[in-house]
Amino acid sequence: MGLQEFWFILIAVLFTGYFVLEGFDFGVGMLMSVLGKTDNRRRVLINTIGPVWDGNEVWLIVGGGALFAAFPDWYATLFSGFYLPLLIILVALILRICAIEWRGKIDDDRWRRRADLGIMIGSWVPAVLWGVAFANIVRGVAIDADKKVTSSFFDLLNPYALLGGITTALVFALHGAVFIALKTADDVRIDAADLAKKLAIPTVPIAGGFVLWTQLAYGKGWTWILVAIAAVAVIAIALLTRSEREGWAFAFTTLAVIATSVLLFASLYPNVMPSTTDPAFSLTIENASSSHYTLMVMSWAAVVLTPIVLIYQGWTYWVFRKRISTKHIPPSIGLPPKAGSTKAG
Protein backbone atom coordinates (compact mmCIF):
# COMPACT_ATOMS: atom_id res chain seq x y z
CA MET A 1 0.00 0.00 0.00
CA GLY A 2 1.42 3.38 -1.05
CA LEU A 3 1.10 6.69 0.76
CA GLN A 4 -1.77 7.83 -1.47
CA GLU A 5 -3.75 4.74 -0.49
CA PHE A 6 -2.85 5.23 3.17
CA TRP A 7 -4.14 8.80 3.17
CA PHE A 8 -7.28 7.91 1.23
CA ILE A 9 -8.05 5.30 3.88
CA LEU A 10 -7.23 7.71 6.71
CA ILE A 11 -9.52 10.40 5.26
CA ALA A 12 -12.25 7.76 4.93
CA VAL A 13 -11.72 6.83 8.59
CA LEU A 14 -11.90 10.47 9.69
CA PHE A 15 -15.14 11.18 7.84
CA THR A 16 -16.62 7.86 8.96
CA GLY A 17 -15.78 8.76 12.56
CA TYR A 18 -17.39 12.15 12.03
CA PHE A 19 -20.59 10.62 10.69
CA VAL A 20 -20.78 8.13 13.58
CA LEU A 21 -20.12 10.65 16.36
CA GLU A 22 -21.63 13.80 14.92
CA GLY A 23 -24.45 11.68 13.52
CA PHE A 24 -26.05 11.12 16.92
CA ASP A 25 -25.33 14.77 17.79
CA PHE A 26 -27.35 15.80 14.77
CA GLY A 27 -30.02 13.29 15.72
CA VAL A 28 -30.40 14.78 19.20
CA GLY A 29 -30.78 18.27 17.74
CA MET A 30 -33.21 17.08 15.07
CA LEU A 31 -35.49 15.56 17.71
CA MET A 32 -35.59 18.56 20.07
CA SER A 33 -39.15 19.51 19.15
CA VAL A 34 -40.41 15.92 19.35
CA LEU A 35 -38.83 14.78 22.61
CA GLY A 36 -38.30 18.18 24.25
CA LYS A 37 -41.83 18.81 25.48
CA THR A 38 -40.65 21.01 28.37
CA ASP A 39 -37.60 23.17 28.93
CA ASN A 40 -36.20 20.67 31.45
CA ARG A 41 -36.52 17.86 28.91
CA ARG A 42 -34.80 19.96 26.24
CA ARG A 43 -31.98 20.63 28.69
CA VAL A 44 -31.68 16.88 29.27
CA LEU A 45 -31.35 16.33 25.52
CA ILE A 46 -28.66 18.97 25.20
CA ASN A 47 -26.80 17.58 28.19
CA THR A 48 -26.62 14.11 26.62
CA ILE A 49 -24.20 15.57 24.07
CA GLY A 50 -22.97 18.54 26.12
CA PRO A 51 -19.57 17.08 27.09
CA VAL A 52 -18.78 15.58 23.68
CA TRP A 53 -20.41 17.44 20.77
CA ASP A 54 -17.57 19.91 20.21
CA GLY A 55 -15.00 17.11 20.35
CA ASN A 56 -17.03 15.20 17.77
CA GLU A 57 -16.77 18.14 15.36
CA VAL A 58 -12.98 17.95 15.53
CA TRP A 59 -13.19 14.88 13.27
CA LEU A 60 -14.54 17.11 10.49
CA ILE A 61 -11.85 19.73 11.02
CA VAL A 62 -9.09 17.12 10.96
CA GLY A 63 -10.67 15.39 7.97
CA GLY A 64 -10.83 18.66 6.05
CA GLY A 65 -7.25 19.49 7.00
CA ALA A 66 -6.04 16.05 5.92
CA LEU A 67 -7.91 16.43 2.63
CA PHE A 68 -6.26 19.79 2.01
CA ALA A 69 -2.76 18.56 2.83
CA ALA A 70 -2.84 15.10 1.25
CA PHE A 71 -5.02 15.75 -1.82
CA PRO A 72 -4.97 19.51 -2.55
CA ASP A 73 -6.55 19.15 -6.01
CA TRP A 74 -9.40 17.11 -4.54
CA TYR A 75 -9.89 19.78 -1.87
CA ALA A 76 -9.81 22.64 -4.38
CA THR A 77 -12.18 21.00 -6.87
CA LEU A 78 -14.58 19.84 -4.17
CA PHE A 79 -14.80 23.11 -2.26
CA SER A 80 -15.11 25.24 -5.38
CA GLY A 81 -17.61 23.00 -7.16
CA PHE A 82 -19.69 22.32 -4.04
CA TYR A 83 -19.28 25.85 -2.70
CA LEU A 84 -22.94 26.64 -2.05
CA PRO A 85 -23.99 23.39 -0.29
CA LEU A 86 -20.81 23.36 1.79
CA LEU A 87 -21.32 27.03 2.69
CA ILE A 88 -24.88 26.24 3.79
CA ILE A 89 -23.55 23.37 5.93
CA LEU A 90 -20.95 25.69 7.48
CA VAL A 91 -23.52 28.40 8.30
CA ALA A 92 -25.84 25.77 9.79
CA LEU A 93 -23.02 24.37 11.96
CA ILE A 94 -22.12 27.88 13.17
CA LEU A 95 -25.78 28.52 14.00
CA ARG A 96 -25.92 25.25 15.92
CA ILE A 97 -22.72 25.99 17.84
CA CYS A 98 -23.91 29.45 18.87
CA ALA A 99 -27.34 28.14 19.86
CA ILE A 100 -25.89 25.40 22.07
CA GLU A 101 -23.31 27.66 23.70
CA TRP A 102 -25.60 30.67 24.28
CA ARG A 103 -28.88 28.94 25.11
CA GLY A 104 -28.41 29.15 28.86
CA LYS A 105 -26.83 32.60 28.96
CA ILE A 106 -30.14 34.45 29.43
CA ASP A 107 -33.02 33.25 31.62
CA ASP A 108 -35.74 34.01 29.11
CA ASP A 109 -38.29 31.76 27.38
CA ARG A 110 -38.12 33.46 24.00
CA TRP A 111 -34.33 33.39 24.02
CA ARG A 112 -34.33 29.65 24.68
CA ARG A 113 -36.99 28.98 22.05
CA ARG A 114 -34.90 30.78 19.44
CA ALA A 115 -31.81 28.85 20.53
CA ASP A 116 -33.73 25.58 20.29
CA LEU A 117 -34.83 26.52 16.76
CA GLY A 118 -31.19 27.25 15.90
CA ILE A 119 -30.14 23.84 17.23
CA MET A 120 -32.79 22.08 15.16
CA ILE A 121 -32.00 23.99 11.94
CA GLY A 122 -28.27 23.51 12.54
CA SER A 123 -28.84 19.77 12.89
CA TRP A 124 -31.36 19.08 10.11
CA VAL A 125 -29.58 21.01 7.36
CA PRO A 126 -26.16 19.27 7.64
CA ALA A 127 -27.84 15.90 8.18
CA VAL A 128 -29.50 16.21 4.77
CA LEU A 129 -26.77 18.02 2.84
CA TRP A 130 -23.93 15.69 3.87
CA GLY A 131 -25.84 12.85 2.26
CA VAL A 132 -26.47 14.90 -0.88
CA ALA A 133 -22.82 15.95 -1.09
CA PHE A 134 -21.26 12.51 -0.63
CA ALA A 135 -23.76 10.88 -2.97
CA ASN A 136 -22.73 13.35 -5.68
CA ILE A 137 -19.05 12.70 -5.01
CA VAL A 138 -19.58 8.98 -5.59
CA ARG A 139 -21.92 9.49 -8.55
CA GLY A 140 -19.60 12.01 -10.19
CA VAL A 141 -20.09 15.57 -11.41
CA ALA A 142 -19.12 17.44 -14.55
CA ILE A 143 -15.39 18.21 -14.30
CA ASP A 144 -13.40 19.71 -17.16
CA ALA A 145 -9.76 19.28 -18.17
CA ASP A 146 -8.73 22.08 -15.76
CA LYS A 147 -10.18 20.17 -12.79
CA LYS A 148 -13.05 22.61 -12.42
CA VAL A 149 -16.61 21.53 -11.66
CA THR A 150 -18.98 22.82 -14.33
CA SER A 151 -22.17 21.39 -12.75
CA SER A 152 -24.64 23.87 -11.26
CA PHE A 153 -26.12 23.67 -7.78
CA PHE A 154 -29.36 22.24 -9.17
CA ASP A 155 -27.42 19.50 -10.99
CA LEU A 156 -26.50 18.22 -7.53
CA LEU A 157 -30.17 17.69 -6.71
CA ASN A 158 -30.49 14.49 -8.73
CA PRO A 159 -32.58 11.50 -7.55
CA TYR A 160 -29.62 9.48 -6.24
CA ALA A 161 -28.26 12.43 -4.25
CA LEU A 162 -31.67 13.34 -2.85
CA LEU A 163 -32.15 9.75 -1.73
CA GLY A 164 -28.73 10.01 -0.08
CA GLY A 165 -29.85 13.14 1.79
CA ILE A 166 -33.07 11.50 2.99
CA THR A 167 -31.07 8.44 4.06
CA THR A 168 -28.55 10.35 6.15
CA ALA A 169 -31.31 12.42 7.76
CA LEU A 170 -33.30 9.33 8.75
CA VAL A 171 -30.26 7.34 9.88
CA PHE A 172 -28.93 10.23 11.98
CA ALA A 173 -32.38 10.80 13.53
CA LEU A 174 -32.63 7.10 14.43
CA HIS A 175 -29.02 7.12 15.66
CA GLY A 176 -29.87 10.10 17.86
CA ALA A 177 -33.08 8.60 19.22
CA VAL A 178 -31.28 5.42 20.24
CA PHE A 179 -28.47 7.48 21.81
CA ILE A 180 -30.99 9.51 23.82
CA ALA A 181 -32.62 6.30 25.06
CA LEU A 182 -29.18 5.02 26.01
CA LYS A 183 -28.14 8.19 27.85
CA THR A 184 -31.34 9.17 29.67
CA ALA A 185 -33.68 7.81 32.31
CA ASP A 186 -37.34 7.98 33.27
CA ASP A 187 -39.88 9.44 30.84
CA VAL A 188 -37.31 10.84 28.39
CA ARG A 189 -35.83 7.38 27.93
CA ILE A 190 -39.26 5.81 27.43
CA ASP A 191 -40.29 8.40 24.81
CA ALA A 192 -36.95 8.16 22.99
CA ALA A 193 -37.19 4.36 22.83
CA ASP A 194 -40.75 4.61 21.49
CA LEU A 195 -39.66 7.15 18.87
CA ALA A 196 -36.75 4.93 17.81
CA LYS A 197 -39.24 2.12 17.08
CA LYS A 198 -41.24 4.45 14.83
CA LEU A 199 -38.18 5.87 13.06
CA ALA A 200 -36.90 2.38 12.27
CA ILE A 201 -39.96 1.74 10.08
CA PRO A 202 -39.11 4.22 7.27
CA THR A 203 -35.34 4.12 7.84
CA VAL A 204 -34.87 0.42 7.07
CA PRO A 205 -36.34 0.40 3.52
CA ILE A 206 -35.05 3.85 2.51
CA ALA A 207 -31.51 3.28 3.76
CA GLY A 208 -31.58 -0.21 2.26
CA GLY A 209 -32.63 1.22 -1.10
CA PHE A 210 -29.82 3.78 -1.08
CA VAL A 211 -27.19 1.19 -0.17
CA LEU A 212 -28.43 -1.20 -2.86
CA TRP A 213 -28.48 1.58 -5.48
CA THR A 214 -24.93 2.54 -4.52
CA GLN A 215 -23.73 -1.05 -4.84
CA LEU A 216 -25.45 -1.76 -8.17
CA ALA A 217 -24.40 1.50 -9.80
CA TYR A 218 -20.96 2.20 -8.34
CA GLY A 219 -19.89 -0.69 -6.11
CA LYS A 220 -17.33 -3.42 -6.65
CA GLY A 221 -17.53 -7.18 -6.24
CA TRP A 222 -16.13 -7.29 -2.72
CA THR A 223 -18.29 -4.39 -1.47
CA TRP A 224 -21.29 -6.73 -1.40
CA ILE A 225 -19.85 -7.67 2.00
CA LEU A 226 -20.51 -4.11 3.17
CA VAL A 227 -24.04 -4.24 1.77
CA ALA A 228 -24.65 -7.44 3.74
CA ILE A 229 -23.27 -5.87 6.92
CA ALA A 230 -25.47 -2.79 6.48
CA ALA A 231 -28.50 -5.01 5.82
CA VAL A 232 -27.90 -7.09 8.94
CA ALA A 233 -27.37 -3.91 10.96
CA VAL A 234 -30.62 -2.21 9.93
CA ILE A 235 -32.63 -5.39 10.49
CA ALA A 236 -31.03 -5.79 13.93
CA ILE A 237 -31.85 -2.15 14.71
CA ALA A 238 -35.52 -2.72 13.90
CA LEU A 239 -35.63 -5.77 16.20
CA LEU A 240 -33.59 -4.27 19.04
CA THR A 241 -35.55 -1.03 19.19
CA ARG A 242 -38.73 -3.06 19.61
CA SER A 243 -37.20 -4.96 22.52
CA GLU A 244 -35.81 -1.67 23.97
CA ARG A 245 -32.24 -2.93 24.13
CA GLU A 246 -30.79 0.47 23.41
CA GLY A 247 -27.16 -0.46 24.08
CA TRP A 248 -27.12 -3.08 21.35
CA ALA A 249 -29.34 -0.93 19.13
CA PHE A 250 -26.81 1.90 19.36
CA ALA A 251 -24.01 -0.51 18.48
CA PHE A 252 -25.89 -1.53 15.34
CA THR A 253 -26.79 2.03 14.31
CA THR A 254 -23.08 2.74 14.60
CA LEU A 255 -22.30 -0.33 12.49
CA ALA A 256 -24.85 0.75 9.87
CA VAL A 257 -23.28 4.22 9.58
CA ILE A 258 -19.78 2.71 9.32
CA ALA A 259 -20.79 0.17 6.68
CA THR A 260 -22.55 2.80 4.55
CA SER A 261 -19.67 5.29 4.80
CA VAL A 262 -17.07 2.64 3.93
CA LEU A 263 -19.23 1.52 1.00
CA LEU A 264 -19.26 5.08 -0.36
CA PHE A 265 -15.48 5.48 -0.10
CA ALA A 266 -14.82 1.99 -1.44
CA SER A 267 -17.11 2.65 -4.42
CA LEU A 268 -15.24 5.89 -5.07
CA TYR A 269 -11.72 4.39 -5.04
CA PRO A 270 -9.34 4.89 -6.87
CA ASN A 271 -11.12 8.07 -7.95
CA VAL A 272 -11.62 10.87 -5.50
CA MET A 273 -13.96 12.85 -7.78
CA PRO A 274 -15.22 11.08 -10.93
CA SER A 275 -15.95 13.27 -13.95
CA THR A 276 -19.19 12.74 -15.86
CA THR A 277 -17.83 14.92 -18.68
CA ASP A 278 -14.99 12.56 -19.54
CA PRO A 279 -13.51 9.78 -17.38
CA ALA A 280 -10.05 11.08 -18.37
CA PHE A 281 -10.81 14.27 -16.40
CA SER A 282 -11.56 12.37 -13.17
CA LEU A 283 -9.48 13.15 -10.10
CA THR A 284 -7.74 10.09 -8.68
CA ILE A 285 -5.54 9.40 -5.69
CA GLU A 286 -2.57 9.66 -8.05
CA ASN A 287 -3.23 12.90 -9.93
CA ALA A 288 -4.78 14.79 -6.99
CA SER A 289 -2.23 14.03 -4.25
CA SER A 290 0.59 16.00 -2.70
CA SER A 291 4.25 15.12 -3.15
CA HIS A 292 5.73 11.95 -1.68
CA TYR A 293 7.74 13.96 0.86
CA THR A 294 4.67 15.84 2.08
CA LEU A 295 2.73 12.63 2.52
CA MET A 296 5.67 11.03 4.34
CA VAL A 297 5.96 13.86 6.89
CA MET A 298 2.18 13.87 7.43
CA SER A 299 2.17 10.10 7.91
CA TRP A 300 4.65 10.23 10.77
CA ALA A 301 2.65 13.00 12.44
CA ALA A 302 -0.56 10.97 12.07
CA VAL A 303 1.03 7.82 13.49
CA VAL A 304 2.19 9.70 16.60
CA LEU A 305 -0.81 11.98 17.26
CA THR A 306 -3.84 9.91 16.22
CA PRO A 307 -3.64 7.34 19.08
CA ILE A 308 -3.35 10.18 21.61
CA VAL A 309 -6.49 11.88 20.28
CA LEU A 310 -8.42 8.60 20.22
CA ILE A 311 -7.42 7.71 23.78
CA TYR A 312 -8.41 11.16 25.06
CA GLN A 313 -11.80 11.10 23.33
CA GLY A 314 -12.47 7.55 24.55
CA TRP A 315 -11.66 8.68 28.10
CA THR A 316 -14.13 11.59 27.74
CA TYR A 317 -16.95 9.24 26.78
CA TRP A 318 -16.08 6.93 29.68
CA VAL A 319 -16.19 9.77 32.23
CA PHE A 320 -19.59 10.99 31.02
CA ARG A 321 -21.13 7.55 30.50
CA LYS A 322 -23.91 7.73 33.13
CA ARG A 323 -27.58 8.35 32.34
CA ILE A 324 -29.22 11.67 33.13
CA SER A 325 -32.83 12.70 33.70
CA THR A 326 -34.86 15.79 34.49
CA LYS A 327 -34.03 15.22 38.19
CA HIS A 328 -30.40 16.08 37.45
CA ILE A 329 -31.16 19.45 35.81
CA PRO A 330 -30.44 22.43 38.14
CA PRO A 331 -32.34 25.73 37.97
CA SER A 332 -31.34 28.15 35.22
CA ILE A 333 -28.58 30.58 36.21
CA GLY A 334 -28.61 32.72 33.09
CA LEU A 335 -28.69 36.52 33.10
CA PRO A 336 -32.09 38.09 33.78
CA PRO A 337 -34.14 38.93 30.68
CA LYS A 338 -34.35 42.42 29.29
CA ALA A 339 -37.36 44.57 30.08
CA GLY A 340 -40.44 43.52 28.14
CA SER A 341 -39.44 39.87 27.68
CA THR A 342 -41.24 36.85 29.18
CA LYS A 343 -39.34 35.49 32.16
CA ALA A 344 -39.10 31.73 32.52
CA GLY A 345 -41.30 30.06 35.09
Side-chain angles (χ1 to χ4, degrees), residues 152-176:
S152 69
F153 173 75
F154 294 100
D155 291 331
L156 303 179
L157 304 179
N158 53 79
Y160 174 69
L162 292 176
L163 181 60
I166 296 171
T167 297
T168 50
L170 284 173
V171 170
F172 289 165
L174 177 59
H175 198 33

Side-chain angles (χ1 to χ4, degrees), residues 225-258:
I225 298 172
L226 299 170
V227 176
I229 293 173
V232 170
V234 294
I235 293 172
I237 292 165
L239 297 175
L240 290 167
T241 52
R242 288 187 175 278
S243 59
E244 298 186 3
R245 300 179 65 181
E246 57 266 18
W248 280 106
F250 184 74
F252 277 100
T253 56
T254 299
L255 181 61
V257 174
I258 292 173

Side-chain angles (χ1 to χ4, degrees), residues 67-117:
L67 190 66
F68 171 77
F71 299 100
D73 286 345
W74 183 9
Y75 180 93
T77 301
L78 175 64
F79 278 77
S80 60
F82 288 39
Y83 182 82
L84 184 56
L86 292 177
L87 177 63
I88 294 172
I89 289 174
L90 178 61
V91 172
L93 290 177
I94 293 172
L95 176 64
R96 177 171 168 269
I97 291 169
C98 293
I100 292 175
E101 291 287 354
W102 295 349
R103 185 185 188 278
K105 300 300 183 182
I106 297 178
D107 186 16
D108 179 70
D109 284 337
R110 288 187 298 176
W111 174 270
R112 286 191 284 264
R113 284 196 299 269
R114 290 169 183 168
D116 293 340
L117 180 62

Side-chain angles (χ1 to χ4, degrees), residues 280-331:
F281 300 156
S282 297
L283 274 66
T284 69
I285 62 170
E286 296 292 338
N287 65 23
S289 70
S290 294
S291 67
H292 179 82
Y293 180 77
T294 300
L295 295 177
M296 180 65 72
V297 173
M298 291 170 54
S299 298
W300 281 110
V303 168
V304 173
L305 296 176
T306 302
I308 298 174
V309 174
L310 293 176
I311 291 171
Y312 174 76
Q313 190 160 28
W315 175 79
T316 302
Y317 275 90
W318 176 255
V319 170
F320 295 101
R321 66 189 182 278
K322 293 183 178 180
R323 295 179 183 269
I324 60 173
S325 71
T326 52
K327 299 175 183 177
H328 300 123
I329 301 299

